[in-house]
Amino acid sequence: MNRSTPGMAYLRGAVDCHTHVCPHLNGRSVTVFEATRQAAEAGMRGLGLMDNFGNSSGFAALAMAELGHLGVEVFGGIIMQPVAGGVTVEAARTALGYGYGPGTGARFVSLPTHHTRHVAEREGRSPAYLETTFSVPRSGKVPDVVLAIMDLVAEANAVFDCGHVSGREAVALVEEGRRRGVTRLRTHAARYAEDEIRAIVATGAYAEFSFFVLTHATQVGLTHVDQEKHRSSGLTIQDMAPKIRAATAERAIVSSDAGVFLLPPPVEAFREFLLLLASEGFGDDEIRSMSAVNPAALFRIGSAAP
Ligand SMILES: [Zn+2]
């Protein structure tokens, strides 16, 4: 890629808040350091590290210590998968403080991605596995441990991320988060119904849409969290565009969700996604809002300690 490659202008000042470039069980396209350098070359402002195996704020702090001068704010957080400590107050509290000094701890605390009933059922996991997964009961009553975690997140002014729950569960979680004073809320909305997305953004939460689900990476079995390989169903940009419009450009966030060996490195994946959005009729201002303004506001880009 060079500066004249189509779509490079979209990347200037952009924030890709969802990459998987931390160490993994399977191959990665780039390391955290390489992803940071590539983001800097493209003129990007922020890079979010997501890791299904542990809290990524340490990797982010390390990248900032080594490459912070390049001008990309690298940030991390915890996905509360079982191997990362599970959905526990202790895992969340530790992540929020884990870094190289004040301001370098987790910027987000996420419910599980794969260890949810919603995803585990889709993956055809065993009844014994399902028994241990996270879910919000039909009553909509959010489990007490999550309420305690929400309070910690609100106090730290961090992002509460609903993980890969169903649309119904995400609505219940953001409404509860709002009631408890969590002002930064993130959902992963690519597979949610439009009315669920409207209910989510009505609370002030953000709805994120990622490139991964549009790609060939959905067509093969991939190791996401353990020895099992799973395939997910893909979407087309035509499936996704009305959902993004339901979220509105003020509340939608777009991200690459790249890092897996099968896809181009995050910066290139993000460029392709933004061009795809443009081809679907999203205007420059809308793309700027969803790829730069909104993720920067949500994750407090610019707030890192010097
Ligand atoms: Zn992801």
Side-chain angles (χ1 to χ4, degrees), residues 19-283:
T19 68
H20 288 276
V21 294
C22 296
H24 203 286
L25 293 178
N26 66 29
R28 300 291 95 190
S29 57
V30 286
T31 67
V32 172
F33 285 163
E34 287 163 344
T36 304
R37 288 194 194 94
Q38 290 177 359
E41 274 164 34
M44 288 173 59
R45 222 179 133 203
L47 190 68
L49 308 179
M50 301 202 72
D51 187 344
N52 282 311
F53 305 95
N55 166 34
S56 63
S57 66
F59 288 117
L62 183 63
M64 288 302 282
E66 194 67 10
L67 301 174
H69 61 279
L70 298 180
V72 180
E73 196 164 317
V74 186
F75 62 93
I78 184 169
I79 299 172
M80 295 183 289
Q81 284 281 124
V83 294
V87 183
T88 62
V89 170
E90 201 46 34
R93 193 197 311 279
T94 302
L96 288 165
Y98 189 86
Y100 286 127
T104 63
R107 297 264 180 110
F108 61 86
V109 172
S110 174
L111 288 172
T113 44
H114 288 263
H115 204 257
T116 59
R117 180 164 286 264
H118 179 63
V119 171
E121 279 177 349
R122 204 168 70 206
E123 291 181 345
R125 300 277 186 168
S126 69
Y129 186 101
L130 284 174
E131 198 57 35
T132 65
T133 55
F134 176 82
S135 64
V136 177
R138 278 274 154 202
S139 67
K141 165 93 181 69
V142 174
D144 286 345
V145 63
V146 176
L147 302 182
I149 291 168
M150 283 176 168
D151 291 348
L152 271 181
V153 168
E155 196 186 324
N157 196 21
V159 172
F160 184 86
D161 182 329
C162 297
H164 293 185
V165 295
S166 68
R168 169 191 70 78
E169 293 172 298
V171 172
L173 286 162
V174 297
E175 287 178 347
E176 185 61 43
R178 254 309 182 220
R179 279 195 287 274
R180 300 189 83 81
V182 181
T183 57
R184 302 175 185 278
L185 292 155
R186 173 201 213 177
T187 64
H188 298 270
R191 299 178 194 281
Y192 294 170
E194 288 175 38
D195 60 335
E196 292 167 339
I197 293 169
R198 278 189 285 270
I200 286 166
V201 302
T203 69
Y206 286 96
E208 186 179 323
F209 300 88
S210 71
F211 184 57
F212 184 95
V213 297
L214 302 175
T215 70
H216 54 276
T218 59
Q219 296 169 21
V220 295
L222 287 173
T223 302
H224 292 294
V225 291
D226 55 21
Q227 287 70 25
E228 285 196 19
K229 290 186 173 184
H230 291 280
R231 237 171 55 172
S232 60
S233 55
L235 300 182
T236 66
I237 188 67
Q238 286 78 27
D239 297 326
M240 185 185 275
K243 294 173 190 281
I244 296 177
R245 293 204 165 91
T248 76
E250 282 67 47
R251 287 290 150 200
I253 284 176
V254 292
S255 64
S256 74
D257 196 3
V260 70
F261 65 95
L262 265 179
L263 292 180
V267 170
E268 168 58 14
F270 206 30
R271 183 189 73 90
E272 293 178 20
F273 189 20
L274 299 182
L275 282 174
L276 204 49
L277 290 166
S279 77
E280 202 48 37
F282 289 93

